[in-house]
């Protein structure tokens, strides 16, 4: 094989974002290592995979049948890879196959056969296949008209789940409780897709997922198992996800793992895929499960699983679809074991989605089986409490803790928000716990496992205890316990009436500082030479030595959001790779699992950490690095540049004082006056009446905008 055509995912969209830049980039690297020429079709200019360093040729064209066929005619590739460009690439590949384009030009489909892909995408064929191998699926019917669907909904009994076939991120899917709701959703779904699935709704079942890789010799391993914090009915991309699962029994874990392998083998998958299960949390006697879905491609979950375990899923999948076995592919993180080792985790990972609901008119904060989130973060800790608290800060929504955010509301309003899933449900849960509402009551309303709720309760109780000691000097034991529960210096300061820096000074005086641990994929069973790091207060040693004066920290952009996405991943990666030319060691700090900048081989050191002043200062204190780059990570690093500068960390490039001059409207205006440059008449206000008077005096139309914000 000399030349492979790779289909990208096109423009970023909700449900399909940076994860396919990560998977495509890894695939190109894997193919190049084998001496294969790569041709990429992707019109997205902000991605790393479309940079000149990666693919041999890039076509900035739509990923559609017509354009791909023209590229095939021109380039004459030997094979095509469909699994690295999300649903866009998959649907295009199936179309090329069915229209005979691939056969006509003698182009081989790498990895999973198209017949198997079609089987996982067509809801009816998929259910029939699983029944043949005695695997349970929810009672369901695939239909092509609203009328046929209504009959089946009555047969199953309301409420029912409606899902669209061949769709991305659960688009046009949801739970309906009556005929009126069914008609509305089914009409929408059928306008979007040729087929819908009407399915039994498994209320408050757990959702469990396994990421599986298989080679053509039928070797099969599960790389990561994950558990949704929210029960079934909330799309995985909308739910908080925990890896590895925390509430399964040993029997449940292994039973579902074996089923995953059985399903993947029966479908003839080659490469990577994920299997999603619904599991009854309270079975009458034996285990009760149903298979919800199989993705015969890399997905957002794959990117998460890859970063959560340190197992380079996309890279391994690319090697497997070339026909290699798991025995032949070296584990890139340990450098001493092969890829057939199943990762073992001695830490816990929490993924939290990031929504930007307030950017859209008319949207609700309700979440469900259709994806609305625009990005996500991943937090690593030694306990759930440590990881979830880190995660909340990583979202960059202004919350310091899981106990923040919710203003005064009545008990009835809070309970309603807990019952109906929404983007702030976790904050409503902690509010309810503060009010003394029982874990049992919250569990009954939300379906969230009590194990998670008791962990949140621990955080709430620790906070209550701290407010009683307000102003008093904290002991070393108290401070350590709070840090182990994931509290930030800023939050501890808020609760005790002190400044963030005062808490930091006290912490350093008492020698309460974080440990730096490696992710080695094998829970320390083998010595590892990995540069993949996180910090924790649940430890008493460091796994690595500081880099010292040769190190330069590069701050990433955190989660994707509207106005800040893959373009900052591109700038971070380019900064890290170019630092090498000057014999500098790059230390990337970022918390977004979808990015290429959080790949294990992109920098000399990778800290999967929050982009807060506290954590950046902690890493600088440990690494003793010479300087820091804040200009390539968008607004988030800019917002902490002043504090970084005051702490004495050298900023490369534009000085903090000048960043502030550009960001602060008053200072910027003064600069324009000093330089005698014209500007519109303006003023800043904190009072509505004064603002209205100004608007009246100046005359409409006027432009209103805040300072220190992202993308207007």
């Amino acid at each position: 094989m000399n030349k492979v055509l790779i289909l990208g995912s096109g423009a970023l969209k909700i449900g399909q974002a940076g994860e396919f830049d990560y998977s495509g980039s890894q695939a190109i690297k894997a193919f190049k290592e084998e001496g294969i020429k790569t041709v990429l079709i992707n019109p997205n200019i902000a991605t790393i995979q479309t940079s000149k360093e990666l693919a041999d040729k890039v076509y900035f064209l739509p990923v559609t049948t017509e354009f791909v066929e023209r590229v095939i005619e021109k380039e004459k590739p030997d094979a095509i890879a469909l699994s690295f460009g999300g649903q866009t690439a998959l649907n295009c590949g199936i179309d090329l196959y069915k229209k005979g384009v691939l056969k006509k030009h003698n182009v081989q489909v790498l990895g999973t056969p198209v017949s198997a892909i079609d089987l996982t995408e067509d809801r009816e064929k998929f259910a029939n296949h699983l029944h043949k191998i005695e695997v349970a699926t929810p009672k369901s019917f695939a239909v092509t008209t609203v009328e046929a669907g209504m009959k089946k909904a009555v047969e199953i009994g309301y409420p029912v789940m409606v899902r669209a076939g061949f769709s991305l991120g659960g688009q046009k899917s949801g739970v309906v409780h009556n005929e009126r709701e069914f008609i509305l959703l089914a009409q929408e779904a059928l306008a979007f897709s040729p087929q819908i699935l009407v399915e039994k709704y498994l209320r408050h079942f757990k959702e469990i997922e396994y990421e599986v890789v298989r080679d053509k010799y039928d070797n099969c391993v599960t790389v990561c198992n994950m558990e949704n914090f929210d029960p079934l009915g909330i799309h995985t991309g909308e739910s908080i996800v925990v890896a590895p699962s925390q509430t399964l029994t040993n029997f449940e874990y292994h039973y579902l793992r074996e089923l995953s392998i059985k399903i993947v083998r029966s479908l003839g998958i080659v490469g990577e895929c994920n299997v999603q299960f619904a599991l009854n949390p309270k079975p009458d006697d034996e285990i009760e499960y149903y298979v919800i879905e199989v993705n015969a491609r890399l997905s957002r979950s794959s990117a998460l699983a890859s970063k959560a375990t340190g197992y380079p899923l996309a890279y391994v999948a690319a090697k497997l679809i070339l026909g290699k076995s798991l025995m032949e592919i070296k584990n890139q993180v340990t450098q001493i074991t092969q890829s057939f080792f199943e990762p073992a985790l001695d830490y816990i990972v929490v993924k939290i989605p990031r929504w930007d609901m307030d950017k859209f008119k008319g949207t609700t904060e309700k979440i469900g089986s259709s994806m609305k989130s625009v990005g996500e973060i991943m937090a690593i800790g030694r306990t759930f409490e440590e990881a979830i608290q880190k995660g909340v800060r990583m979202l960059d929504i202004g919350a310091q803790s899981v106990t923040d955010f919710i203003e005064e509301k009545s008990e009835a309003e809070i309970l309603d928000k807990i019952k109906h899933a929404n983007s702030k449900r976790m904050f409503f849960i902690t509010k309810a716990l503060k009010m003394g509402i029982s874990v049992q009551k919250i569990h009954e309303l939300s379906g969230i496992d009590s194990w998670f709720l008791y962990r949140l309760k621990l955080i709430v109780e620790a906070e209550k205890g701290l407010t009683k000691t307000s102003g008093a000097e904290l002991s070393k034991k108290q401070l350590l316990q709070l840090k182990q529960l994931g509290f930030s210096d800023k939050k501890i300061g808020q609760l005790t009436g002190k400044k963030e820096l005062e808490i930091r000074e006290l912490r350093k005086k008492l020698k309460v500082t974080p440990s730096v641990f490696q992710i080695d994929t094998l829970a320390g069973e083998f010595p590892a030479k990995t540069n993949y790091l996180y910090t924790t207060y649940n430890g008493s040693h460091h796994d690595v030595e500081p880099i010292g004066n040769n190190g330069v920290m590069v701050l990433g952009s955190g989660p994707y959001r509207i106005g800040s996405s893959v373009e900052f991943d591109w700038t971070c990666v380019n900064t890290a790779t170019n630092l090498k030319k000057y014999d500098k060691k790059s230390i990337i700090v970022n918390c977004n699992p979808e990015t290429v900048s959080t790949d294990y081989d992109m920098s000399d050191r990778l800290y999967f950490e929050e982009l807060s002043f506290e954590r950046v200062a902690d890493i600088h204190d440990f690494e003793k690095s010479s300087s820091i780059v804040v200009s390539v990570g968008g607004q988030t690093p800019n917002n902490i540049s002043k504090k970084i500068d005051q702490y004495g960390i050298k900023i490369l490039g534009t000085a903090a004082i000048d960043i502030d001059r550009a960001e602060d409207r008053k200072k910027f205006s003064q600069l324009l006056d000093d330089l005698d440059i014209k500007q519109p008449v303006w003023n800043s206000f904190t009072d509505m009446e004064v603002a209205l008077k100004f608007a009246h005096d100046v005359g409409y139309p006027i432009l209103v905008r805040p300072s220190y914000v992202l993308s207007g």
Side-chain angles (χ1 to χ4, degrees):
M1 195 174 296
N2 298 314
K3 192 188 276 186
V4 171
L5 179 66
I6 300 162
L7 300 187
S9 64
L12 298 198
K13 44 190 101 69
I14 292 175
Q16 185 167 287
E19 64 270 24
F20 298 112
D21 186 27
Y22 141 79
S23 59
S25 299
Q26 278 203 358
I28 293 165
K29 281 182 214 168
F31 292 147
K32 282 180 96 167
E33 281 178 10
E34 301 300 323
I36 296 169
K37 281 196 168 157
T38 52
V39 179
L40 172 71
I41 302 179
N42 195 2
N44 190 337
I45 51 165
T47 55
I48 282 125
Q49 61 181 243
T50 54
S51 298
K52 62 182 188 294
E53 299 83 21
L54 279 172
D56 293 288
K57 268 195 186 171
V58 180
Y59 284 87
F60 287 95
L61 292 171
V63 185
T64 60
T65 314
E66 303 77 44
F67 281 101
V68 175
E69 183 174 9
R70 283 164 69 182
V71 173
I72 289 171
E73 284 167 2
K74 185 168 183 286
E75 289 293 338
K76 298 180 175 50
D78 303 299
I80 188 168
L82 308 177
S83 53
F84 302 102
Q87 198 71 37
T88 304
L90 214 55
N91 288 353
C92 180
I94 292 171
D95 202 35
L96 288 163
Y97 177 82
K98 287 182 174 172
K99 285 181 176 166
V101 173
L102 302 179
K103 193 176 180 184
K104 177 184 167 188
H105 296 283
N106 202 20
V107 179
Q108 176 196 343
V109 175
L110 289 177
T112 304
V114 173
S115 56
I117 296 169
D118 195 38
L119 196 62
T120 61
E121 293 287 314
D122 187 308
R123 301 282 182 182
E124 190 168 21
K125 289 181 188 172
F126 178 58
N128 291 339
H129 171 81
L130 291 183
H131 295 158
K132 278 180 201 160
I133 60 167
E134 296 178 346
V135 171
T137 62
K139 188 176 183 182
S140 63
F141 300 96
V143 295
T144 52
T145 66
V146 176
E147 292 70 30
M150 278 161 63
K151 284 177 189 164
K152 296 302 180 190
V154 171
E155 197 178 315
I156 293 167
Y158 287 105
V160 295
M161 173 70 87
V162 176
R163 298 178 192 271
F166 301 92
S167 72
L168 161 83
Q171 274 177 294
K172 307 299 178 198
S173 70
V175 179
V176 293
H177 299 85
N178 52 48
E179 194 174 278
R180 187 180 62 82
E181 287 181 13
F182 179 86
I183 292 167
L184 284 170
L185 186 59
Q187 281 174 340
E188 267 190 57
L190 284 168
F192 174 80
S193 171
Q195 177 201 65
I196 59 168
L197 190 78
V198 184
E199 178 182 286
K200 178 183 172 165
Y201 174 48
L202 305 166
R203 184 174 180 268
H204 287 180
F205 271 49
K206 290 180 186 180
E207 187 165 347
I208 310 293
E209 189 168 337
Y210 285 79
E211 297 291 325
V212 187
V213 289
R214 177 181 173 270
D215 65 21
K216 71 172 192 179
Y217 307 101
D218 208 25
N219 299 306
C220 206
V221 294
T222 57
V223 171
C224 184
N225 112 295
M226 300 185 272
E227 171 177 11
N228 285 15
F229 174 88
D230 297 289
L232 191 73
I234 310 300
H235 191 283
T236 304
E238 297 286 275
S239 178
I240 294 169
V241 175
V242 178
S245 58
Q246 299 296 302
T247 73
L248 298 192
T249 64
N250 194 45
F251 174 74
E252 286 169 337
Y253 171 84
H254 285 288
Y255 187 86
L256 296 180
R257 177 186 168 276
E258 282 169 28
L259 270 180
S260 303
I261 291 172
K262 179 182 177 179
I263 293 162
V264 168
R265 282 182 166 150
S266 77
L267 288 164
I269 302 280
V270 176
E272 193 271 353
C273 87
N274 53 46
V275 185
Q276 292 164 23
F277 294 99
L279 179 68
N280 188 345
K282 296 168 189 163
D284 293 332
D285 42 21
E286 58 189 63
I287 189 170
E288 184 190 358
Y289 77 89
Y290 299 97
V291 174
I292 300 299
E293 194 166 44
V294 169
N295 276 320
R297 58 172 173 83
L298 287 112
S299 65
R300 189 171 288 189
S301 296
S302 318
L304 175 68
S306 184
K307 304 299 167 76
T309 58
Y311 188 103
L313 266 171
Y315 172 88
V316 171
K319 296 281 190 184
L320 295 179
I321 66 176
L322 291 174
K324 287 194 173 296
S325 85
L326 284 164
M327 320 292 177
E328 294 173 77
I329 307 163
K330 190 181 267 189
N331 179 322
Q332 298 292 305
V333 172
T334 61
Q335 295 290 332
I336 49 169
T337 57
Q338 306 311 107
S339 290
F340 58 77
F341 269 74
E342 290 197 355
L345 277 59
D346 55 359
Y347 50 86
I348 182 171
V349 162
V350 173
K351 178 215 91 176
I352 311 177
R354 155 100 195 203
W355 295 271
D356 267 350
M357 306 282 201
D358 49 357
K359 292 262 174 90
F360 296 109
K361 268 200 178 115
T363 54
T364 69
E365 286 185 340
K366 280 186 181 171
I367 56 172
S369 58
S370 181
M371 208 153 146
K372 288 180 179 177
S373 65
V374 291
E376 61 189 30
I377 59 85
M378 183 184 101
I380 309 166
R382 303 290 280 193
T383 63
F384 175 74
E385 298 91 316
E386 184 173 50
I388 192 102
Q389 294 255 70
K390 262 190 194 182
V392 163
R393 292 190 290 276
M394 286 172 171
L395 288 171
D396 202 17
I397 55 174
Q400 278 297 314
S401 162
V402 293
T403 59
D404 281 2
F405 232 54
I406 304 301
E407 12 14 289
E408 288 310 311
K409 275 185 163 49
S410 69
E411 187 175 314
E413 281 178 294
I414 286 166
L415 294 180
D416 182 65
K417 294 284 189 185
I418 290 169
K419 186 179 180 182
H420 300 108
N422 61 82
S423 58
K424 295 194 177 86
R425 177 149 77 168
M426 181 174 50
F427 299 108
F428 284 109
I429 288 168
T430 54
K431 186 78 175 171
L433 290 166
K434 275 184 184 178
M435 292 164 79
I437 293 163
S438 72
V439 163
Q440 184 58 31
K441 172 91 172 165
I442 296 168
H443 167 67
E444 283 164 13
L445 286 171
S446 65
I448 295 166
D449 194 284
S450 299
W451 187 89
F452 295 118
L453 300 176
Y454 276 115
R455 296 286 170 153
L456 293 174
K457 194 179 178 186
L458 269 178
I459 296 169
V460 168
E461 284 173 351
E463 186 180 299
K464 271 185 187 169
L466 187 58
T467 49
K468 286 171 192 164
T469 62
S470 181
E473 194 76 7
L474 286 161
S475 70
K476 181 173 181 173
K477 188 184 174 187
Q478 262 182 309
L479 199 50
L480 181 60
Q481 280 175 343
L482 290 166
K483 298 308 283 184
Q484 287 176 335
L485 286 170
F487 283 95
S488 67
D489 290 351
K490 193 171 184 177
K491 183 69 180 175
I492 296 168
Q494 285 168 358
L495 293 167
T496 56
K498 292 184 178 177
K499 289 191 168 71
E500 179 182 8
L501 280 172
E502 287 179 281
I503 299 295
R504 182 176 189 84
E505 277 168 31
L506 174 67
R507 201 163 50 69
K508 288 176 83 171
K509 191 174 88 182
L510 296 172
K511 294 190 168 52
V512 178
T513 53
S515 295
V516 175
F517 281 6
Q518 283 174 320
I519 284 185
D520 61 6
T521 79
L522 295 167
E525 290 170 31
F526 287 81
K529 296 178 176 65
T530 168
N531 64 358
Y532 187 0
L533 310 167
Y534 67 100
T535 66
T536 178
Y537 282 88
N538 292 282
S540 54
H541 70 281
H542 299 301
D543 283 348
V544 292
E545 292 293 321
I547 280 181
N549 202 39
N550 211 24
V552 176
M553 288 172 72
V554 179
L555 302 189
S557 65
Y560 290 152
R561 61 204 91 163
I562 294 171
S564 172
S565 66
V566 73
E567 64 274 16
F568 294 117
D569 190 28
W570 185 90
T571 49
C572 282
V573 167
N574 276 281
T575 304
T577 48
N578 280 291
L579 280 168
K580 288 174 188 171
K581 292 180 186 175
Y582 299 95
D583 296 322
K584 294 290 180 190
K585 300 266 187 195
S586 57
I587 303 165
I588 282 183
V589 185
N590 205 356
C591 54
N592 184 341
E594 299 174 51
T595 56
V596 180
S597 59
T598 52
D599 261 355
Y600 60 92
D601 59 352
M602 271 300 145
S603 53
D604 295 289
R605 279 214 172 145
L606 165 66
Y607 279 88
F608 223 103
E609 275 299 336
E610 52 187 288
L611 291 153
S612 62
F613 161 71
E614 178 185 336
R615 190 62 72 239
V616 169
D618 286 339
I619 294 167
H620 180 265
D621 285 352
F622 170 74
E623 291 286 2
K624 301 189 169 44
S625 49
S626 64
S627 48
I628 192 166
V629 178
V630 298
S631 57
V632 294
Q635 191 69 37
T636 305
N638 252 13
N639 287 353
I640 57 169
S641 59
K642 219 169 169 181
K643 280 185 171 178
I644 288 170
D645 181 58
Q646 284 164 357
Y647 192 68
I649 304 172
K650 183 186 175 189
I651 294 174
L652 294 182
T654 307
I657 190 168
D658 294 322
I659 294 171
D660 188 48
R661 224 170 359 164
E663 290 277 6
D664 186 307
R665 300 219 177 260
K666 279 191 172 159
K667 290 174 185 171
F668 181 61
S669 176
Q670 184 60 55
L671 177 68
L672 292 179
D673 286 345
D674 294 346
L675 296 171
D676 202 20
I677 295 171
K678 284 184 179 179
Q679 56 182 309
V681 179
W682 75 278
N683 211 332
S684 65
F685 305 94
T686 52
D687 182 279
M688 193 62 180
E689 291 301 313
V690 189
L692 280 167
K693 185 180 182 310
F694 172 84
H696 184 264
D697 293 346
V698 172
Y700 291 101
I702 57 160
L703 182 64
V704 181
R705 49 183 167 183
S707 288
Y708 274 101
V709 294
L710 168 80
S711 72

